[in-house]
Every structure is written in C-alpha cells, then in structure tokens.
Amino acid sequence: MLKVGVVGTGGIFKWAHLPGWLSVKEAEIVAFCDAFPGAAEAVAKDYPGTKAYTDYREMIADPSIDIIGISTPNLFHSEIAIAALRQGKHVFCEKPDAVNPVEAQKMADAARETGKVLMTMRNNRFSSEAQFVKRLAEQGKLGDLYMGRCGWIRRRGIPGRGGWFTTKELSGGGPLIDLGVHMIDLAMWIGGNPKPVTVSGSTYRKFADRPDASGNVPAGTFDVEDLAAGFIRFDNGASLQIEFSWASNVAAEQKFLEWRGTEGGFSLINDKLNLFTETDGVLLDQQPHLETAQLPQHTANIRHFVEVVLGREQPIITPDQGVDMIKILSAIYESAELGREVRL
C-alpha cells in the first residue's frame, strides 16, 4: 500500500485529486497539509487516522510516506516537488509544472537524479476522444500533422478574482498558464510531442478594471492578462495557433483543438470529435461514436501515475514535456512584452 501525503487542500484537491486518490486501491492518503491554519485539520477529521500539517517540510520528512500530491497555488509547485523528490518521495503535481522554465528544469533534474517518478496533471489526455485520435495519429491514419489550432475562450469566467489566480506572483500568469497548459499539451501530445522552436504572442488585460453591475470595480489584485494569443513553430515543421481567455466578447465559451494532416484532420470542440478525410476522391466527415470514459479524467491520470510508480506502466507524461510546456508559456509572455518573435 502506497502512503500518500497531500499538500494543498483547496477546491482543485477536493473535486479533482481527492476522488482520484480514493479510487486507487493500492494507495491511501495518510496526511494532509495546508498553509492556512485549520484547513488540513478540517479535511483530516473526515479520514480517521490521518495527520494534519501546516508545514509541508514536516510532512515530507515522514519516512513512511511514499507519494506527495501537490495542489497548491502555482508558485509553490516546484519548491515542494523538489524538496519531496530529494526526500525520496514520488510526486504528483497539479498543473502547471512551475511558473518559469528554470524551476521546471530544476524539477525535472531532481526527478532524474533521485530516480523518483514526477508527473504533472494532464487530465485532458485521458478523455475517450483524445485517446482515440491519438491512436489514429500513431497509426499514421492522419498522415503528417502540420498545422494546428487550439484554445479555450470564455465569454466571462475569471476564476477567483482578487485571489491567487489573478495575482501574477502566485500564479505566473492568467488564462495562458491556467487554460493554455491543457490545450497546448493536448495538441503537442497528439502531434507526437515535437520540440518548440519559436513563439510569437500577444496578451491583453481589458476586463480587470471593468465595473460590476453595481458600478464598482471589484477589489483585489488583478495583474495578469485576461486574453492571450500566439503562434508556435516546432522542430518538425508543424505550427500551432493558440488563443486563451477568461473574458472576451464571443458568442459562448469554447474549448477546441484542431489538427490538419496530409491524410486527414480532426476537430475536437467542447469534447465533440469530428474527423475529416477523403476516400476515392470523395470528402468524408465522420463523427465517431465513442463510449464515455469509465473514469473521470483526473482520476484516470492519478491512476496512471500510480501504475507508473508500481512499475506496471510506462509514463505517457514526462518531466521533459513539462519543461517544454513552461518554456512555451514563458516565451509567449516574453514575446508579448517585447513585441517580436522569441526563439527558444
């Protein structure tokens, strides 16, 4: 039985991570940690025999704990992950990997040097639709995937306004680092994980100071973008357009991914998959009828992590992929600030 210690007991832990850990028969949560006094105790009381901490350093010093799960604000991901890895723990971390490429690389280096498993949440890879189109791509049925487009745009959907989500020091950025991780990762994974070469980006902050219905500007820090757009070139010649927003004047919220290949293409829009191919000179539009995944995506991701720890599966999510992701996000912010393309 793998013993799990959790750092961060807020919303993402309760609705995404906790059900995942509870579903794994080979693992049990034995400790909770949260910097907010009383938060860990409030969760621990529902799980008799578990311990509660306010300092993660005390928890990771426990030699009986095998795995550390991290679901804190983004700023603390790398600090906690590196410390846990060096204490001999396997680490499962909420996205994003880190707030900058230097910290992401430190995490990857620590995992390699200690031989422990480090995995960051990439739950969108575990949907039925993503798994199916990934198989098609690997089988060569889409041909050469050369042009893609992905994004997650909200009409209104700023998370935790005035809290850590909208505070750059804690989050590292706005919708690009919040939503962009999901869809850029999915695009790159289906596209064969090409290496990014250059990026060009723009960011906008247009809704932070907009008055609410009562005419008041909401209080609290909001020093991140509310929309980011850009263009990524990869080492295999492929390119990817991106757009992410928490608030913009569009028809409705939309999460989307498209790839165009030499033998076929696809669109995955709000989790609905369509394929576009050609047979005997006839253009075909196909909509696969897929069974709903047996497990929620976050749970499936955590189960995959445990299988990797136990040596029963090879990881489909690696620290090096996380480093590439954070390099892309960081370069897009740099490009937006400089007003020019940035080479990675």
Side-chain angles (χ1 to χ4, degrees):
M1 181 67 71
L2 296 168
K3 308 293 185 182
V4 181
V6 174
V7 188
T9 59
I12 190 64
F13 167 71
K14 290 173 181 173
W15 72 261
H17 290 240
L18 180 57
W21 292 120
L22 294 178
S23 77
V24 180
K25 64 181 180 181
E26 298 93 343
E28 68 170 332
I29 299 176
V30 298
F32 299 93
C33 178
D34 200 294
F36 286 96
E41 289 85 348
V43 179
K45 67 180 178 58
D46 293 329
Y47 300 92
T50 61
K51 297 180 179 179
Y53 298 86
T54 55
D55 188 338
Y56 76 85
R57 298 171 187 83
E58 294 181 16
M59 187 174 74
I60 66 175
D62 183 345
S64 70
I65 293 178
D66 305 293
I67 292 171
I68 295 296
I70 302 172
S71 44
T72 66
N74 303 344
L75 175 65
F76 307 109
H77 289 182
S78 59
E79 172 189 324
I80 298 168
I82 292 166
L85 289 164
R86 300 215 178 279
Q87 284 279 3
K89 317 300 184 187
H90 302 286
V91 172
F92 186 82
C93 184
E94 175 57 24
K95 61 81 187 170
D97 309 71
V99 295
N100 63 59
V102 172
E103 292 300 311
Q105 187 63 60
K106 287 180 181 178
M107 290 170 67
D109 291 343
R112 184 180 63 255
E113 292 163 5
T114 60
K116 296 300 178 180
V117 177
L118 167 65
M119 188 176 293
T120 302
M121 182 73 81
R122 296 289 193 265
N123 54 286
N124 283 275
R125 297 190 187 190
F126 293 87
S127 73
S128 299
E129 293 79 9
Q131 294 275 324
F132 176 71
V133 78
K134 173 65 171 175
R135 291 195 298 271
L136 293 183
E138 290 182 333
Q139 293 164 7
K141 294 182 178 179
L142 301 177
D144 176 24
L145 296 176
Y146 59 92
M147 182 66 208
R149 175 177 168 269
C150 73
W152 192 333
I153 52 176
R154 293 176 178 168
R155 186 164 185 169
R156 299 291 186 273
I158 299 169
R161 185 176 188 131
W164 72 262
F165 269 100
T166 59
T167 303
K168 188 172 184 179
E169 181 182 4
L170 296 174
S171 64
L176 178 62
I177 201 167
D178 177 33
L179 306 177
V181 168
H182 289 296
M183 304 311 293
I184 297 172
D185 173 76
L186 190 58
M188 291 175 64
W189 178 60
I190 292 172
N193 291 309
K195 289 287 187 181
V197 176
T198 64
V199 305
S200 181
S202 296
T203 59
Y204 302 91
R205 179 182 172 276
K206 299 295 185 180
F207 287 79
D209 303 319
R210 179 162 294 198
D212 59 21
S214 62
N216 299 314
V217 175
T221 302
F222 196 137
D223 59 357
V224 298
E225 83 282 0
D226 51 44
L227 186 149
F231 190 83
I232 307 167
R233 287 187 172 90
F234 298 102
D235 62 350
N236 63 352
S239 55
L240 182 69
Q241 303 173 50
I242 64 170
E243 181 184 352
F244 302 96
S245 71
W246 282 339
S248 57
N249 289 318
V250 293
E253 179 170 348
Q254 186 180 86
K255 180 173 68 171
F256 60 90
L257 168 60
E258 299 175 355
W259 266 117
R260 300 167 199 177
T262 52
E263 302 303 317
F266 72 87
S267 68
L268 182 57
I269 301 176
N270 292 339
D271 301 318
K272 181 180 179 180
L273 178 63
N274 285 281
L275 303 173
F276 311 109
T277 60
E278 181 180 353
T279 300
D280 295 329
V282 177
L283 300 179
L284 298 179
D285 296 352
Q286 300 172 311
Q287 185 178 344
H289 294 274
L290 301 170
E291 293 185 4
T292 302
Q294 294 182 346
L295 296 174
Q297 295 173 18
H298 295 84
T299 294
N301 199 158
I302 288 174
R303 285 204 182 183
H304 171 62
F305 167 77
V306 170
E307 292 295 308
V308 173
V309 169
L310 294 173
R312 299 198 292 228
E313 292 182 6
Q314 290 298 309
I316 69 168
I317 304 157
T318 64
D320 286 344
Q321 293 169 9
V323 173
D324 285 342
M325 173 59 61
I326 303 304
K327 283 182 177 179
I328 288 171
L329 303 184
S330 179
I332 290 171
Y333 285 128
E334 181 183 359
S335 172
E337 183 176 348
L338 296 176
R340 60 172 173 80
E341 187 176 66
V342 170
R343 180 169 292 275
L344 282 76

